[in-house]
Amino acid sequence: NSFYRRDKNGTLQPDPTPVAERSAKGGWDLWKQRKYAANLSTYDDDVTFAALRFLMRLDSALKFADVEIHDAALYGLQALLGTQFPNGAWATNFDRFPTTPPDEKSYPLLRAGFPETWPRNWPKDFTGCYATNDELMSRAIDTLLLAHTVYKEPKYLDAARRAGDFLLLAQLPEPQPIWAQQYNAQMQPVWSRAFEPTALTSRESQGIMRSLITLYRATSDRKYLEPIPRALAYLRRSLRADGKLARFYEIRTNKPLYFSRGPNGQGHVLTYSDENLASNYGFIIAPAIDAIEAEYQAALKGENLTMPPAPGKNQIQKIMAAMDARGAWTEAGTIRDAQGRKQSPQGGVIRSQIFIENVRALCAYLQYSGV
């Protein structure tokens, strides 16, 4: 059974983890053992962070009057602070509420570097205790800055700054000065899942640069801008022939890395070819180099970028006309059934990206039109 703080009636429950386990010095070496797998909390895919941001905004809107909501927000923030490593990073998950954060003796402050060698096949060892994958660090920083705005507590801004300090340490050296998806305790890039190799990552690096700009705006500390010109220059010289970026680039050679499916469609095979890509992951991404450059230059000048133009009435009419009776937008596409086979539903599929873009356009239209 999962460990919940409250039962179905809302009654607060005692923590079932033994006191000795709760007070043990935390860290990835302990959490990855999954001793309390039913209690696993995840920072991946903005799961915990998004919930915390919602709770904080609701807490603020209610003027902190709802005791349970206020308590839940602060409890989650306490866990966020307690799972932060000494260098400012986080692991993707943890399995017990931390009363003692990871210690510097086990997780020393080191600058990122390249391993001498790395395995070409997935080692299945999950040694990557520090993660940036799927914008984990960026969403953590967003959450902490919001916490500082809402609760006016310096500890949240301090934690956001430590997260930024980790990103400074985690930038890899020239001639490949961007970031990896995950690092071991020695601050070297390592594998994560079977399709996430020891490599440099362009997608997460773009998000990291934007977070560094955000931190500069919040702190006025120029050190957070220092890595950006080198990283942008690297991405520009690493563009594919089609103007896009590979998600992964090989250490030292800088060759784009991809994955195809293994025999009978099972597993993943590391390859330099993009001709038969596995469909479960975005191995080629659109660059945001020019946009980040503009954000960087605006930050240097102390300017805010101008608001994007309001969506036109014709665009809004098309969005409204395409909406079905449920309020959704569908299009032809494929999904996988319970057995993992691709299916093309008769009614089409709902893509989260399209849904979000359409809702944003509708909200922007309402804002600009004063409705």
Side-chain angles (χ1 to χ4, degrees):
N1 295 323
S2 294
F3 297 170
Y4 294 105
R5 290 191 73 212
R6 297 179 185 275
D7 64 17
K8 63 181 180 181
N9 298 316
T11 304
L12 197 63
Q13 301 295 298
D15 190 329
T17 314
V19 174
E21 292 286 354
R22 295 202 302 273
S23 61
K25 289 185 177 180
W28 185 241
D29 291 334
L30 181 66
W31 302 331
K32 72 179 181 181
Q33 296 173 18
R34 300 288 192 271
K35 183 173 182 179
Y36 299 102
N39 199 36
L40 195 67
S41 298
T42 181
Y43 290 137
D44 198 26
D45 290 332
D46 203 22
V47 173
T48 294
F49 299 135
L52 273 176
R53 293 195 301 274
F54 170 76
L55 284 171
M56 287 188 284
R57 290 188 177 106
L58 182 58
D59 194 20
S60 178
L62 297 174
K63 301 187 184 305
F64 316 109
D66 189 301
V67 174
E68 291 187 6
I69 290 172
H70 184 68
D71 170 69
L74 295 186
Y75 185 84
L77 288 170
Q78 185 180 347
L80 179 56
L81 296 181
T83 51
Q84 188 175 27
F85 286 93
N87 64 6
W90 285 271
T92 55
N93 48 63
F94 58 100
D95 71 345
R96 66 204 73 187
F97 188 84
T99 58
T100 305
D103 67 301
E104 190 172 333
K105 181 178 180 181
S106 301
Y107 302 96
L109 276 63
L110 301 171
R111 186 167 293 279
F114 297 113
E116 289 297 323
T117 60
W118 57 276
R120 309 296 294 189
N121 296 310
W122 184 37
K124 304 181 184 180
D125 57 1
F126 294 104
T127 55
C129 56
Y130 311 137
T132 72
N133 191 18
D134 290 334
E135 287 75 45
L136 186 151
M137 291 297 300
S138 297
R139 301 292 78 80
I141 290 169
D142 293 343
T143 304
L144 288 166
L145 291 178
L146 178 62
H148 180 249
T149 298
V150 170
Y151 299 113
K152 314 300 182 188
E153 288 278 356
K155 62 184 178 182
Y156 300 126
L157 181 59
D158 291 344
R161 293 183 69 116
R162 289 198 302 275
D165 292 344
F166 165 76
L167 296 178
L168 301 184
L169 289 173
Q171 186 180 27
L172 290 154
E174 292 282 8
Q176 295 177 294
I178 59 168
W179 290 264
Q181 280 190 335
Q182 49 277 319
Y183 302 78
N184 60 19
Q186 290 72 48
M187 283 293 278
Q188 296 174 336
V190 289
W191 281 81
S192 183
R193 292 177 291 183
F195 43 86
E196 294 169 334
T198 301
L200 300 102
T201 176
S202 62
R203 174 183 152 174
E204 282 77 6
S205 293
Q206 291 186 135
I208 284 169
M209 283 188 278
R210 283 181 154 142
S211 291
L212 290 171
I213 294 170
T214 298
L215 272 173
Y216 167 71
R217 291 188 179 278
T219 65
S220 299
D221 194 331
R222 287 287 288 269
K223 71 179 181 181
Y224 296 120
L225 296 183
E226 192 274 336
I228 294 175
R230 298 195 306 279
L232 287 173
Y234 166 83
L235 291 178
R236 289 192 190 282
R237 64 178 181 261
S238 300
L239 290 167
R240 291 161 33 102
D242 60 3
K244 296 182 179 180
L245 288 165
R247 178 78 171 264
F248 299 119
Y249 287 88
E250 188 174 37
I251 291 172
R252 296 187 178 88
T253 71
N254 210 50
K255 293 179 180 179
L257 295 175
Y258 309 100
F259 284 88
S260 59
R261 284 292 189 182
N264 301 317
Q266 301 298 312
H268 291 81
V269 178
L270 186 65
T271 176
Y272 293 125
S273 172
D274 64 357
E275 293 184 358
N276 187 29
L277 295 179
S279 61
N280 67 305
Y281 203 75
F283 295 109
I284 300 173
I285 68 166
I289 301 170
D290 291 340
I292 295 170
E293 173 73 31
E295 293 172 29
Y296 168 73
Q297 293 297 339
L300 281 176
K301 298 173 184 176
E303 300 172 349
N304 289 316
L305 292 178
T306 57
M307 292 289 289
K313 184 175 291 186
N314 289 339
Q315 179 186 352
I316 295 301
Q317 288 175 342
K318 289 180 180 179
I319 290 173
M320 295 293 292
M323 182 189 292
D324 66 19
R326 301 166 299 169
W329 293 273
T330 61
E331 59 184 83
T334 60
I335 59 173
R336 293 187 183 274
D337 62 18
Q339 288 71 44
R341 297 186 297 263
K342 287 186 177 181
Q343 305 289 332
S344 298
Q346 186 174 357
V349 299
I350 299 172
R351 297 190 187 279
S352 298
Q353 179 180 353
I354 300 301
F355 185 91
I356 292 168
E357 289 175 355
N358 287 344
V359 170
R360 280 178 175 165
L362 292 172
C363 290
Y365 181 76
L366 292 174
Q367 179 181 3
Y368 278 106
S369 62
V371 176

